[in-house]
Amino acid sequence: MTHVIEPAAPDDASRLGPLLLRAWLQTYPRREAGIDEEWIREQRGAAATPEGIARWRDFIEAALRDPDLLFCRVVRSEAETEAVSGAPVETVKEIVGVLCGRRGEEVTLGPMYLLNHVQGQGLGDRLMAEFLDWAGAARMCLWVTEYNEGAVRFCRRHGFEPTGDRELWQGRLPNLRMAREAAAPVGDG
């Protein structure tokens, strides 16, 4: 199975909402915080509705029109299905990850998700490398769920450090703000 990272296309909008919902269901359940499948579906299920899909389509189209301002990459998993009764081999493409960002006074990273079954294969590092290249030397920030220790370690590995800011998203999900400071300009020596 191969994985391809490429700019999102408008037709991907219908798959990104369900992808995010699936990623949330894999990542965030935490009984002691009152975060279960029902709560996640209440909070994030709208991403897979016609309105949520329309918002994704608008964002993707805007990113394609103004790639200096908006960033949106998807990870496609390409697998060939076996030929049956002499039928040609078919390549099936599934979106298994996404990373988006926007440029303002600082660059904001998010959302970034990879489904569990493709984690640990270097795809997150590849996505992040493309994002960091796009962002350049600007200051970057993101929010990460505090108890998602793997994501916190991943962000630290890529130069993001906690700022001390925290939020309790929708009164339950504890998030931590992380930032990667702007790179100093290279002098003439």
Side-chain angles (χ1 to χ4, degrees), residues 24-40 145 147 171-174:
W24 271 64
L25 290 168
Q26 291 178 352
T27 306
Y28 297 123
R30 190 157 184 117
R31 185 175 319 158
E32 59 272 16
I35 299 172
D36 57 13
E37 180 177 344
E38 180 181 346
W39 186 84
I40 290 169
T145 298
Y147 61 78
R172 293 189 191 176
L173 192 68

Side-chain angles (χ1 to χ4, degrees), residues 38-155:
E38 180 181 346
W39 186 84
I40 290 169
R41 287 186 184 282
E42 285 174 10
Q43 302 304 318
R44 302 308 299 174
T49 65
E51 295 81 17
I53 292 166
R55 282 191 298 276
W56 269 112
R57 182 176 299 279
D58 290 347
F59 181 83
I60 293 166
E61 289 172 348
L64 292 171
R65 279 191 311 274
D66 195 351
D68 291 334
L69 181 63
L70 300 172
F71 180 92
C72 190
R73 298 290 184 276
V74 294
V75 180
R76 296 185 200 283
S77 178
E78 295 184 348
E80 291 185 349
T81 58
E82 293 184 27
V84 178
S85 303
V89 173
E90 181 180 336
T91 301
V92 177
K93 294 182 179 183
E94 173 191 14
I95 296 177
V96 295
V98 63
L99 190 157
C100 297
R102 54 179 74 238
R103 191 180 307 277
E105 288 182 26
E106 59 188 9
V107 172
T108 303
L109 185 157
M112 179 181 182
Y113 290 102
L114 285 171
L115 296 178
N116 286 351
H117 72 279
V118 297
Q119 291 181 14
Q121 300 176 37
L123 294 170
D125 291 328
R126 287 174 46 199
L127 267 175
M128 183 63 84
E130 285 198 26
F131 178 79
L132 294 175
D133 185 55
W134 171 81
R139 182 177 193 273
M140 294 169 240
C141 63
L142 57 85
W143 288 96
V144 63
T145 298
E146 285 187 54
Y147 61 78
N148 188 349
E149 295 167 3
V152 172
R153 280 192 310 275
F154 174 84
C155 293

